[in-house]
């Protein structure tokens, strides 16, 4: 039997003994570093151990193969070499050598010869250093030598690293090595979905299909849900069509996921529902809830109502049981349609069936009454929600405040806000804000719950603390009216508690400046937004322009208009109409030209220009030439005809074409296509322009 000395990651025979054939010689190896050791991130540490290049290792194993060693000895020697290579962190040489040895030695089991803890430590080290590919490749080659890798590394660690580095194929390769591969496949797709990386999730899905021996509905459902999470419903349809082309019949859960992802397309969801029934699949309660959700999104109250009646019938026959999601969804359908009476009836059905309302149902009911202007009913429902022990979310609190603001009960809104924030006052403050009309409406629908004691509600307020959001403060800003300093104090309070004003906050504050004709304040707010890194949007600019217009500062409004265009903020229809209705009479050619320029911008932007108002203003300006001749007053009123009866006017186009030219370039006046009155108006406009230019030139001379 030969004696072997293991040096570095190689196996070298020792000096020949009496039993060793004479043609065997000891190899003398000079220490050196290969290029791999020099540049590879996992090259071995500097030590005195002699290292061998990979070809020499294979040469020694060829000697072992042709010798008289049994398989156990070969496995032991190979395991020792692997451990030494791992210890020296020469992972790449270990991987390459094992791949070549596998071809030469055939099937060898290292499961009983390798120290799994040493392998696990090295794999964990590589994963922590970010060398995921080397770690997976090492585990792949070791698995072929029948080494169990299930306990080497936490699967979640490697999958997480693969998701962060966007390596879906590598994640699938690793998952394939483990017995729970199918579970990990779903986890990989879900993790990419949560990262909003649909492309990587689809690549992982394609790699998984090649590994699957039979259809896996869990994986199909996971990739469809990921498509919905990433907002690409079309991809989910392609996956469904691909399954059908492969003659794979989806189960009820895959259909439910597909309907949920495509809930914004009611027709497609209904087609899926019909296909499900054709395949012999019985819809469950989740299927009906998703269809109700699709009806809610599409605003199909009639269809949702019919479906609810059918479900109640099936429930009476014992075929299914309506759950809280069914009731909550149908309540939201009616609430969004502002059918608050019907929503309250569903609440009664829900309570009769012994189903407790959840937060979604309560908030939908509260919102329905708030949008109907029923402030008192809204507050009473909120109190009933607290009494039932249901935790209100911030949206519920905001709905109460919004109802008060819309009902012009500004003081009450601030009292509620301060009491919730300090947990020292209650919703039921003993005030009576009921109007007669509101009371009559509520009497015909449902019994108004009795007022709940103050101490009872206080406990619930303390139990469910109020956390104001930016939307909360935006609602309160609207309650400030024209009180700029009160609104400014709210903005400062937002910052104090760590909230940042958004575009809506600043736009409301600009509008408050308009109430007090504070043009300088509105301009200052725009500058503050820019300094805070917030680009003013079209709403902010339009609001500021409106402030300038209402303060009769037309020149400043035009400056803001030019500024928003320079920042590539595109004006909307409200912006243009605000500018075009800015003045009821023009006093100079310059103002008329500016207004006509806005008019032309509006037409180029694709908006339908409101010719009616602009024609009136142009006529008033033109009549300045003939203001002493009252006989023309009726004849020149071309705008008296309603805008609906008149085609889109070419009169303004003609006027704009002439007034935006230089006087010296006007050699003729084009009045083709105009009526007699309109032609006179164009001529008068040109005469007015010539007159004003002549007056300016005379003053200069």
């Amino acid at each position: 039997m030969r004696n072997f000395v293991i040096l570095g990651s190689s196996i070298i025979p020792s000096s020949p003994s009496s039993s060793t054939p004479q043609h065997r010689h000891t190899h003398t190896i000079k220490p050196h570093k290969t290029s791999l050791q020099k540049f590879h991130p996992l090259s071995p540490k500097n030590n005195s151990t002699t290292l061998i290049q990979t070809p020499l290792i294979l040469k020694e194993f060829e000697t072992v193969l042709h010798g008289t060693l049994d398989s156990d000895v070969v496995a032991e020697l190979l395991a020792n070499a692997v451990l030494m290579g791992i210890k020296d962190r020469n992972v790449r040489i270990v991987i390459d050598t094992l791949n070549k040895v596998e071809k030469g030695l055939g099937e060898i089991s290292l499961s009983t010869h390798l120290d799994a803890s040493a392998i696990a430590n090295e794999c964990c080290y590589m994963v922590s250093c970010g060398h995921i590919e080397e770690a997976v490749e090492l585990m792949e080659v070791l698995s072929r030598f029948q080494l169990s890798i299930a306990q080497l590394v936490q699967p979640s660690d490697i999958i997480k690293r693969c998701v962060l580095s966007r390596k879906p194929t590598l994640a699938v390769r690793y998952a394939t090595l483990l017995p729970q591969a199918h579970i990990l496949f779903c986890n990989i797709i879900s993790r990419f979905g949560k990262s909003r990386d649909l492309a990587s999730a689809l690549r992982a899905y394609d790699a998984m299909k090649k590994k699957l021996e039979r259809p896996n509905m869990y994986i199909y459902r996971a990739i469809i849900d990921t498509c919905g999470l990433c907002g690409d419903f079309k991809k989910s349809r392609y996956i469904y069509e691909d399954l059908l082309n492969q003659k794979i019949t989806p189960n009820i859960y895959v259909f439910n996921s597909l309907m949920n992802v495509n809930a914004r397309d009611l027709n497609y969801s209904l087609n899926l529902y019909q296909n499900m029934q054709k395949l012999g699949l019985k819809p469950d309660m989740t299927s009906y809830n998703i269809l109700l959700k699709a009806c809610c999104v599409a605003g199909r109250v009639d269809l949702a109502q019919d479906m609810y009646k059918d479900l109640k019938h099936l429930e009476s026959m014992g075929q299914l049981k309506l759950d809280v999601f069914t009731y909550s969804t149908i309540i939201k359908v009616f609430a969004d349609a502002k059918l608050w009476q019907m929503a309250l009836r569903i609440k009664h059905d829900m309570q009769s069936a012994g189903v407790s309302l959840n937060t979604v149902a309560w908030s939908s009911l509260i919102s329905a009454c708030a949008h109907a202007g029923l402030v008192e009913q809204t507050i009473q429902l909120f109190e009933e929600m607290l009494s039932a022990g249901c935790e209100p979310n911030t949206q519920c609190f905001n709905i109460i405040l919004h109802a008060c603001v819309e009902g012009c009960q500004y003081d009450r809104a601030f009292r509620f806000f301060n009491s919730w924030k300090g947990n020292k006052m209650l919703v039921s403050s003993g005030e009576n804000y009921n109007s007669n009309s509101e009371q009559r409406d509520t009497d015909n629908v449902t019994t108004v719950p009795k007022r709940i004691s103050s101490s009872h509600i206080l406990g619930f307020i303390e139990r469910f603390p109020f956390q104001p959001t930016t939307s909360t403060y935006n609602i309160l800003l609207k309650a400030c009216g024209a009180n700029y300093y009160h609104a400014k104090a709210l903005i400062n309070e937002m910052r104090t508690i760590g909230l940042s004003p958004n575009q809506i906050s600043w736009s409301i504050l600009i509008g408050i400046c308009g109430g007090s004709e504070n043009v300088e304040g509105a301009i200052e707010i725009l500058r503050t937004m820019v300094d805070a890194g917030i680009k003013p949007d079209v709403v902010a600019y339009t609001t500021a322009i409106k402030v300038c217009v209402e303060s009769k500062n037309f020149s400043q409004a035009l400056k803001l208009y030019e500024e928003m265009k320079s920042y590539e903020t595109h004006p909307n229809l409200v912006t243009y109409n605000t500018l075009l209705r800015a003045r009821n009479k023009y006093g100079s050619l310059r103002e008329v030209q500016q207004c006509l320029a806005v008019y032309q911008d509006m037409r180029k932007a694709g908006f339908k220009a409101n010719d009616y108002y602009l024609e009136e203003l142009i006529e008033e300006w033109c009549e300045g030439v003939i203001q002493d001749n009252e006989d023309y007053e009726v004849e020149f009123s071309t705008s008296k005809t309603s805008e609906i009866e008149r085609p889109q006017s070419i009169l303004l186009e003609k006027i704009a074409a002439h007034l935006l030219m230089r006087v010296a370039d006007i050699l003729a006046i084009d009045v083709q296509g105009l009526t007699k009155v309109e032609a006179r108006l164009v001529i008068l406009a040109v005469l007015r322009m010539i007159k004003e230019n002549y007056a300016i030139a005379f003053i200069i001379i």
Side-chain angles (χ1 to χ4, degrees):
M1 184 67 71
R2 285 170 290 180
N3 298 324
F4 284 80
V5 178
I6 299 179
L7 298 177
S9 59
S10 177
I11 305 175
I12 304 176
S14 63
S15 299
S17 60
S18 57
S19 62
T20 306
Q22 295 300 317
H23 66 274
R24 300 284 185 183
H25 300 286
T26 303
H27 295 276
T28 303
I29 306 299
K30 294 182 179 181
H32 65 280
K33 288 186 177 180
T34 64
S35 60
L36 181 63
Q37 295 162 354
K38 182 177 180 181
F39 297 105
H40 196 273
L42 299 177
S43 56
K45 300 175 289 186
N46 293 329
N47 51 39
S48 59
T49 306
T50 304
L51 300 172
I52 307 296
Q53 288 181 333
T54 302
L56 294 178
I57 297 176
L58 293 176
K59 184 176 180 180
E60 293 302 326
F61 273 104
E62 289 176 2
T63 304
V64 173
L65 282 171
H66 293 91
T68 59
L69 299 176
D70 57 30
S71 60
D72 288 338
V73 176
V74 172
E76 183 68 28
L77 295 175
L78 179 60
N80 291 336
V82 170
L83 289 175
M84 187 60 70
I86 293 296
K87 180 180 178 182
D88 292 333
R89 299 220 166 119
N90 203 344
V91 177
R92 175 48 57 189
I93 291 181
V94 171
I95 293 172
D96 293 341
T97 303
L98 287 177
N99 284 328
K100 295 178 181 179
V101 167
E102 182 184 9
K103 298 178 181 178
L105 295 179
E107 184 176 346
I108 297 178
S109 175
L110 298 180
S111 58
T112 59
H113 301 280
L114 274 177
D115 182 8
S117 61
I119 303 294
N121 291 336
E122 182 60 23
C123 288
C124 291
Y125 173 79
M126 287 189 288
V127 171
S128 64
C129 294
H131 306 304
I132 310 297
E133 293 189 21
E134 289 85 355
V136 172
E137 195 172 352
L138 176 62
M139 286 186 281
E140 283 178 329
V141 69
L142 289 176
S143 67
R144 293 197 294 270
F145 284 88
Q146 301 180 17
L147 179 69
S148 176
I149 65 167
Q151 304 299 325
L152 295 183
V153 187
Q154 282 290 340
S156 58
D157 292 341
I158 290 187
I159 293 176
K160 179 181 178 181
R161 295 272 182 174
C162 290
V163 171
L164 292 176
S165 56
R166 295 190 174 185
K167 296 179 179 178
T169 306
L170 186 63
V172 174
R173 281 172 51 192
Y174 169 71
T176 308
L177 302 175
L178 301 174
Q180 70 273 28
H182 297 304
I183 298 176
L184 293 179
F185 285 164
C186 297
N187 184 261
I188 290 169
I189 292 176
S190 299
R191 281 180 175 267
F192 278 115
K194 292 177 181 178
S195 301
R196 300 300 190 272
D197 188 359
L198 180 58
S200 296
L202 291 172
R203 286 170 54 198
Y205 172 70
D206 290 336
M208 292 171 191
K209 288 194 296 185
K210 300 175 182 178
K211 305 289 185 181
L212 295 176
E213 298 178 356
R214 58 182 181 275
N216 189 312
M217 297 298 166
Y218 295 103
I219 295 176
Y220 301 146
R221 185 181 182 185
I223 189 62
I224 289 173
D225 289 339
T226 298
C227 291
L229 193 61
C230 297
D232 194 339
F233 64 90
K234 291 184 178 179
K235 285 287 193 305
S236 68
R237 299 182 183 185
Y238 296 150
I239 293 171
Y240 170 64
E241 293 170 0
D242 182 55
L243 294 179
L244 297 181
N245 293 335
Q246 298 179 48
K247 308 300 181 182
I248 298 175
T249 302
N251 61 14
I252 183 66
Y253 305 106
V254 175
F255 268 110
N256 286 344
S257 292
L258 195 59
M259 286 195 299
N260 188 48
V261 170
N262 292 273
R264 293 188 175 276
D265 189 342
L266 178 59
N267 292 330
Y268 187 81
S269 297
L270 291 174
N271 288 334
L272 288 174
Y273 173 73
Q274 295 171 357
N275 292 341
M276 185 193 312
Q277 293 179 315
K278 290 178 181 178
L279 293 173
L281 298 174
K282 184 179 180 181
D284 58 7
M285 203 63 246
T286 303
S287 308
Y288 291 115
N289 289 342
I290 294 172
L291 287 176
L292 284 174
K293 173 185 174 182
C295 293
C296 180
V297 174
R300 289 293 304 275
V301 181
D302 55 337
L303 188 58
Q305 192 171 9
D306 292 340
M307 191 177 300
Y308 176 69
K309 291 179 181 178
D310 293 339
L311 291 176
K312 292 291 289 184
H313 176 68
L314 293 174
E315 184 181 39
S316 64
M317 297 176 63
Q319 296 186 13
L320 49 79
K321 178 68 175 177
L322 273 64
D323 56 22
V324 64
F325 301 104
T326 310
Y327 287 111
S328 300
T329 305
I330 193 66
I331 285 176
K332 192 174 189 309
V333 170
F334 292 134
D336 290 348
K338 299 182 180 180
L339 300 174
W340 61 276
Q341 298 98 329
M342 300 183 70
L344 289 177
R345 291 194 184 101
I346 301 298
K347 168 180 171 283
H348 177 72
D349 293 346
M350 194 173 182
Q351 292 174 330
S352 299
V355 180
S356 300
L357 280 75
N358 60 8
T359 304
V360 175
W362 281 115
S363 61
S364 297
L365 285 170
I366 294 171
S367 178
C369 292
H371 289 148
L374 306 175
V375 181
E376 201 65 27
Q377 178 75 355
T378 302
I379 296 172
Q380 290 176 6
L381 283 171
F382 181 70
E383 293 177 349
E384 189 178 352
M385 176 184 183
L386 296 177
S387 177
C390 183
E391 180 177 359
N393 54 21
T394 304
Q395 181 184 1
C396 294
F397 289 104
N398 289 347
I399 293 172
I400 298 294
L401 297 178
H402 176 75
C404 293
V405 172
E406 291 298 313
C408 299
Q409 299 179 14
Y410 305 132
D411 292 342
R412 197 180 194 188
F414 279 109
R415 282 198 293 273
F416 283 162
F417 174 72
N418 293 327
S419 66
W420 296 336
K421 188 172 59 174
N423 289 341
K424 57 188 178 182
M425 286 183 65
L426 309 176
V427 179
S428 180
S429 56
E431 299 159 316
N432 185 10
Y433 287 84
N434 282 0
S435 65
N436 294 331
S437 59
E438 179 178 328
Q439 187 63 46
R440 284 195 301 269
D441 289 337
T442 56
D443 287 342
N444 294 330
V445 178
T446 184
T447 302
V448 179
K450 295 180 179 180
R451 286 290 188 185
I452 304 166
S453 65
S454 298
S455 59
H456 189 55
I457 293 186
L458 179 58
F460 288 111
I461 291 292
E462 293 175 347
R463 181 179 170 187
F464 308 127
F466 171 58
Q467 297 292 335
T469 62
T470 301
S471 298
T472 309
Y473 281 96
N474 289 345
I475 295 171
L476 292 174
L477 284 172
K478 296 179 181 178
C480 292
N483 193 334
Y484 172 78
Y485 296 102
H486 191 184
K488 193 70 174 177
L490 284 176
I491 294 289
N492 294 334
E493 183 178 328
M494 289 177 64
R495 292 169 170 168
T496 302
I497 64 174
L499 297 175
S500 299
N502 58 15
Q503 296 274 13
I504 299 175
S505 310
W506 294 116
S507 298
I508 295 173
L509 191 59
I510 293 173
I512 292 174
C513 292
S516 57
E517 298 185 356
N518 185 3
V519 177
E520 295 181 357
I523 305 301
E524 180 185 353
I525 293 171
L526 286 177
R527 303 296 174 256
T528 303
M529 292 178 67
V530 175
D531 295 339
I534 302 175
K535 180 182 178 182
D537 60 1
V538 63
V539 177
Y541 270 114
T542 302
T543 306
I545 289 173
K546 184 178 179 181
V547 172
C548 297
V549 167
E550 290 176 349
S551 302
K552 297 181 174 55
N553 194 338
F554 186 63
S555 60
Q556 184 62 54
L558 288 174
K559 288 180 182 178
L560 291 177
Y561 171 70
E562 296 297 332
E563 179 182 309
M564 71 182 298
K565 290 196 299 181
S566 66
Y567 285 124
E568 297 183 351
T569 301
H570 302 291
N572 58 17
L573 183 61
V574 179
T575 312
Y576 289 118
N577 284 336
T578 302
L579 286 169
L580 292 178
R581 300 175 187 177
R583 302 187 61 159
N584 57 8
K585 187 173 183 179
Y586 289 101
S588 67
L589 171 64
R590 176 61 178 164
E591 291 174 341
V592 173
Q593 289 175 329
Q594 288 174 332
C595 194
L596 287 172
V598 173
Y599 167 80
Q600 289 188 321
D601 289 345
M602 184 178 184
R603 293 284 293 272
K604 291 177 182 178
F607 294 105
K608 181 181 178 181
N610 197 333
D611 298 337
Y612 177 79
Y613 294 98
L614 192 54
E615 283 184 9
E616 278 190 339
L617 299 176
I618 297 297
E619 288 175 18
E620 291 180 1
W621 176 73
C622 292
E623 286 172 357
V625 178
I626 55 170
Q627 56 187 356
D628 295 332
N629 192 343
E630 297 180 359
D631 296 336
Y632 288 96
E633 183 176 354
V634 177
E635 186 177 5
F636 284 122
S637 297
T638 62
S639 298
K640 297 302 180 182
T641 306
S642 67
E643 184 181 3
I644 299 177
E645 296 174 359
R646 293 161 44 247
Q648 192 166 25
S649 174
I650 62 171
L651 170 64
L652 295 177
E653 292 291 339
K654 295 285 187 181
I655 294 177
H658 289 90
L659 295 193
L660 297 178
M661 294 171 59
R662 294 186 306 171
V663 175
D665 295 333
I666 300 178
L667 302 178
I669 300 176
D670 182 13
V671 293
Q672 293 182 356
L674 299 178
T675 65
K676 179 180 178 181
V677 175
E678 290 174 338
R680 288 182 176 180
L681 192 58
V682 173
I683 295 172
L684 287 174
V686 174
L687 291 175
R688 177 72 183 259
M689 180 180 68
I690 294 173
K691 176 183 177 182
E692 292 195 11
N693 278 282
Y694 174 78
I696 294 173
F698 180 78
I699 294 174
I700 294 176
I701 294 174

